[in-house]
Amino acid sequence: MITLRMGLAFTSTTLLVLLLILGLSKGQMEEEEKLKGVTPPPKSCLCELQNLGAAFPWQEFQIVQSFSSNCTQTLTKQEFIEVDSLLASLYYRLQNLEKDVKDFEADFDTGLYSVISLRIIEIELTEISSLLLKLNETSHNKKALLDNLTAQMQIMADKLEEIEQFDRMHVVKRQQESKRIKRSLKECEAELEATPAPVTTPAPGNCPFGRLLNITGPNSFMVTQYSTSYPYGAWGMDPKPAPGKEDRHWLVILTSSNVYGSYIRMYSSHSDLVAAKQVEDITVTSSATTTNSIMGPGSVIYNNAYYYNCYSSSRVCRFDLTYKNISTMELPGADSSNKFPYCQPSSCFLYTDIDLATDESGLWVIYTSQAKFGNVILSRLDANNLTLLQTWYTSLQKKIITNAFMACGVLYATRFIDSSYDEVFYSFDTTTGVEQSTLAFPFKKMSTNIQHLNYNPRNRMLYLYNDAYILTYQAVFG
Ligand SMILES: *[C@@H]1O[C@H](CO)[C@@H](O)[C@H](O)[C@H]1NC(C)=O
Ligand SMILES: *[C@@H]1O[C@H](CO)[C@@H](O)[C@H](O)[C@H]1NC(C)=O
Ligand SMILES: *[C@@H]1O[C@H](CO)[C@@H](O)[C@H](O)[C@H]1NC(C)=O
Ligand SMILES: *[C@@H]1O[C@H](CO)[C@@H](O)[C@H](O)[C@H]1NC(C)=O
Ligand SMILES: *[C@@H]1O[C@H](CO)[C@@H](O)[C@H](O)[C@H]1NC(C)=O
Ligand SMILES: *[C@@H]1O[C@H](CO)[C@@H](O)[C@H](O)[C@H]1NC(C)=O
C-alpha cells in the first residue's frame, strides 16, 4: 500500500519536473512573441516568466525522488497507520501540485492569474513541506526506525524549500526586469507574505457535539420538477423557521441563462417537494434580470428571510419572506460575476463567487477578492440588520474547490474526485484559525457538477444541488 502510494506520488513529482520545464520554456517563447507584438494588459506580471527554463533545479528533485524511494523501502517493513495516512495526504498534495502547475501553464498569458497560480503552487509546496515535517515528527516518535529516515526527510524538506525559494526569487527577479510591471518588489513580497502558511495540525473543532467525522448518504435524491433542463439552482429548509413552517422546503431555479432567478418555490414538506406539490411561488423581483434579482446558486433561507448575491453586484440581498421587501449590503472588496467561482478541474460553476451559508451560529458568506489573491474570505453576518460582524482570511484558493459550507463555526471545503464523487478535504476553524487540508470525507453525487451545498444545523444535514438533482446527506459528528 505504502509503496504504491509513494511510487505514484513521486511519479507525479517527476511529471511535475517535466511540466515545469516544458511549461516555463513554452512560456518564455510566448513571452518573446508578446514583447514584439501586442501590448500586454497593464499591471500584468507576464514578464515574470522570462529566462526561467534552464534554471529549474530538477537535479535536486531527482535526489528527493531517490531518497523517497529509499524511504519507501524502509517504511514498507512497518505498519504505521499515521505514516500511511500522511503519505496518502502527501500523495494528494503532489497531485494537486501537478494540476496547479498545469493550470499555471494554461493561465500563463492571462497576466494576473499567472501570479495567482504561482501563489497556489507556493501554497502547495508549503503544505507539502509541512506534511514532510509532520511525517518526520510522527516517525520520530517511533524510535525504532528512525535516525536514517529522519535525516532523509530533512533533506527532502530542505530540497522542497529550496524549490519554493526558487519560485519566489523568480517572481521577484523578473518583476525587476520588466519595465511594464507596475508593482514593486516590496509590494509583491509583502503580498507573498500576506497569507500565513497553512498548518496541518488536527483542528480541535468548535462543536459541542464533536468534530465532523464523516458524511453519509445520500439520504434522498431526486430530479427537481423543473427537470434536467435547469442545472443551476439552490434548495433547502430554513434552519430557524417561522412557527408553523418548520417543514417547509424551498427551491430556487436559476431560470435565466443558468445565472439569474426571480422567485422562490415553496413546498410545505419534503414529501410535497418529492410529489411536486408546491404551496406557492414567492416573487422576489418582477424579472430575473433587474435590480436585486437573484444571481448565482449560493443562496440560503435563514430565519424567514432569503439571502442571496444580488443581480450584477457584489452585494448580499436579504428578502424578507414576511414583508416581501429587500435590504442589501455591500461586501467590501468582494469579487463577483464569475471572477472567482467554484471550479472542478475542467470547468467552473457559473456565478458561484458569493456563497451564503448557515450553521449553529447563524449566517455566513464565503467569497474572495483579487486583493487576497483569490483566497477564500469568510465573514459572519448579522442576519437581522445585514451587517458584517467578523471576517477571516484563509490560504485556500477559491478556484480549486467545488464548494464550501459552514458547520459549528468551521468552514469546510470540497473538491472534485471524479464524476461520481466529491470530497470534503479542507477545514478552517474560526475559533483557532487552524487550517487543515488532510480531511477525506468523500460523498457520492448523481452528476458531475455541484452548484449549491449548504449545512442545516437543525437536522445536521447537507443540502446539495447537483445538475438538477437535489440530494441530502447526514453530517456525522463525534
Ligand atoms: C538509495 O539506496 C540505494 C541502495 O540502497 C543507494 O545506492 C542510493 O544512494 C540511495 N539513494 C540516496 C539518495 O540515498
Ligand atoms: C541508511 O540508509 C542508507 C541508504 O539510504 C543505507 O545504506 C544505510 O545502511 C542506512 N543506515 C542505517 C543505520 O540503517
Ligand atoms: C525531524 O525531527 C528531528 C527530531 O525531532 C529534528 O531534529 C529534525 O530537525 C526534524 N527534521 C526536519 C526536516 O524538521
Ligand atoms: C463514512 O461514510 C461512508 C459512507 O456511508 C462509509 O462507507 C464509511 O465507512 C464511513 N467512514 C467512517 C470512518 O465511518
Ligand atoms: C420591510 O417592511 C417592514 C414592515 O413594514 C419594515 O419594518 C422593514 O423596515 C422593511 N424593510 C425594508 C428593508 O424595507
Ligand atoms: C445590528 O444588530 C445587532 C444586534 O442584533 C446590533 O448589536 C448592531 O449594533 C446592529 N448593527 C447596526 C449597524 O445596526
Side-chain angles (χ1 to χ4, degrees):
M1 182 75 97
I2 295 171
T3 314
L4 179 64
R5 283 208 182 117
M6 280 309 264
L8 282 172
F10 285 92
T11 305
S12 302
T13 313
T14 318
L15 272 175
L16 161 72
V17 175
L18 290 174
L19 281 167
L20 272 173
I21 293 165
L22 289 174
L24 297 173
S25 46
K26 181 176 156 232
Q28 195 176 345
M29 275 154 50
E30 285 173 3
E31 184 51 38
E32 274 162 18
E33 277 164 29
K34 278 213 178 55
L35 285 173
K36 290 182 201 126
V38 203
T39 316
K43 286 204 175 180
S44 154
C45 288
L46 278 186
C47 297
E48 289 176 359
L49 292 186
Q50 273 177 325
N51 310 327
L52 245 185
F56 188 81
W58 58 273
Q59 244 172 335
E60 319 281 72
F61 236 129
Q62 281 183 333
I63 295 170
V64 173
Q65 192 185 353
S66 166
F67 271 121
S68 78
S69 83
N70 282 1
C71 277
T72 310
Q73 282 159 23
T74 325
L75 283 170
T76 43
K77 294 172 203 149
Q78 315 295 327
E79 290 182 355
F80 291 156
I81 291 166
E82 276 173 291
V83 173
D84 183 58
S85 77
L86 280 169
L87 288 178
S89 311
L90 190 56
Y91 168 60
Y92 282 117
R93 301 321 300 180
L94 285 167
Q95 274 193 328
N96 264 12
L97 183 57
E98 185 187 331
K99 181 189 153 290
D100 291 340
V101 170
K102 277 186 190 147
D103 289 351
F104 179 60
E105 196 183 11
D107 287 344
F108 175 75
D109 45 15
T110 61
L112 174 69
Y113 289 112
S114 61
V115 168
I116 291 173
S117 304
L118 208 51
R119 179 71 187 122
I120 303 176
I121 292 170
E122 193 190 36
I123 289 168
E124 289 292 350
L125 283 169
T126 313
E127 287 189 52
I128 290 169
S129 301
S130 80
L131 272 172
L132 285 171
L133 284 177
K134 190 135 180 276
L135 193 53
N136 179 20
E137 272 166 33
T138 311
S139 307
H140 196 75
N141 292 337
K142 328 264 175 191
K143 291 278 185 203
L145 250 178
L146 272 247
D147 295 342
N148 213 349
L149 189 57
T150 306
Q152 293 182 359
M153 287 300 172
Q154 175 74 66
I155 292 165
M156 282 172 71
D158 288 352
K159 293 300 174 203
L160 281 167
E161 239 168 68
E162 270 174 41
I163 288 160
E164 190 184 352
Q165 277 308 115
F166 168 86
D167 270 338
R168 233 180 244 231
M169 271 158 41
H170 278 261
V171 174
V172 167
K173 203 159 92 192
R174 269 159 287 107
Q175 202 118 29
Q176 287 173 321
E177 284 165 8
S178 170
K179 301 263 192 301
R180 287 173 290 125
I181 294 171
K182 304 265 158 69
R183 281 199 208 139
S184 73
L185 165 65
K186 284 270 182 285
E187 275 168 354
C188 200
E189 270 177 348
E191 276 158 356
L192 282 175
E193 307 291 317
T195 317
V199 219
T200 46
T201 49
N206 191 21
C207 246
F209 40 89
R211 62 196 170 84
L212 185 64
L213 289 185
N214 204 356
I215 290 169
T216 61
N219 302 342
S220 69
F221 60 88
M222 60 175 277
V223 177
T224 76
Q225 70 183 106
Y226 294 82
S227 89
T228 48
S229 30
Y230 292 98
Y232 275 80
W235 78 297
M237 191 176 73
D238 189 342
K240 208 177 162 189
K245 297 185 174 173
E246 286 81 3
D247 290 338
R248 279 206 161 196
H249 281 63
W250 59 274
L251 174 65
V252 168
I253 300 294
L254 301 178
T255 49
S256 173
S257 316
N258 291 329
V259 174
Y260 311 106
S262 61
Y263 67 95
I264 309 164
R265 181 154 287 188
M266 285 291 180
Y267 302 88
S268 60
S269 64
H270 188 259
S271 46
D272 277 6
L273 172 59
V274 173
K277 269 174 31 194
Q278 67 267 24
V279 192
E280 56 178 335
D281 284 342
I282 299 177
T283 303
V284 177
T285 52
S286 56
S287 92
T289 51
T290 183
T291 313
N292 294 340
S293 293
I294 303 160
M295 181 168 79
S299 56
V300 297
I301 286 184
Y302 179 78
N303 197 12
N304 213 35
Y306 176 62
Y307 298 86
Y308 59 100
N309 181 196
C310 22
Y311 184 69
S312 199
S313 73
S314 52
R315 283 176 293 133
V316 172
C317 273
R318 176 188 193 275
F319 175 77
D320 191 304
L321 288 167
T322 307
Y323 299 116
K324 316 272 193 280
N325 55 15
I326 296 173
S327 50
T328 70
M329 74 165 282
E330 185 68 34
L331 271 179
D335 273 306
S336 63
S337 304
N338 255 357
K339 286 209 191 66
F340 291 103
Y342 294 129
C343 302
Q344 50 111 319
S346 59
S347 65
C348 288
F349 307 134
L350 295 176
Y351 290 73
T352 47
D353 305 64
I354 294 180
D355 185 16
L356 279 302
T358 54
D359 79 349
E360 287 72 6
S361 47
L363 184 69
W364 302 79
V365 57
I366 302 158
Y367 58 105
T368 186
S369 68
Q370 285 191 4
K372 290 292 170 192
F373 288 95
N375 288 344
V376 168
I377 304 173
L378 175 67
S379 294
R380 196 154 82 84
L381 304 181
D382 185 308
N384 294 318
N385 53 20
L386 213 51
T387 51
L388 212 133
L389 295 176
Q390 201 180 342
T391 294
W392 291 262
Y393 301 97
T394 72
S395 64
L396 175 70
Q397 272 288 312
K398 186 153 182 302
K399 289 179 81 173
I400 68 166
I401 62 175
T402 49
N403 213 298
F405 61 89
M406 291 298 300
C408 280
V410 176
L411 172 78
Y412 293 96
T414 60
R415 67 178 165 200
F416 184 85
I417 299 179
D418 58 31
S419 58
S420 310
Y421 285 92
D422 267 33
E423 73 174 347
V424 172
F425 77 104
Y426 170 95
S427 66
F428 175 88
D429 188 325
T430 56
T431 305
T432 59
V434 170
E435 288 183 287
Q436 207 183 354
S437 52
T438 53
L439 307 181
F441 308 133
F443 56 93
K444 188 157 173 55
K445 308 173 280 190
M446 298 304 292
S447 184
T448 306
N449 304 306
I450 73 181
Q451 290 77 20
H452 168 93
L453 180 63
N454 189 44
Y455 168 77
N456 187 323
R458 190 145 58 97
N459 54 12
R460 295 179 199 163
M461 298 236 277
L462 293 170
Y463 288 75
L464 175 70
Y465 193 100
N466 171 214
D467 290 333
Y469 287 90
I470 54 177
L471 300 90
T472 57
Y473 302 84
Q474 192 65 55
V476 181
F477 297 85

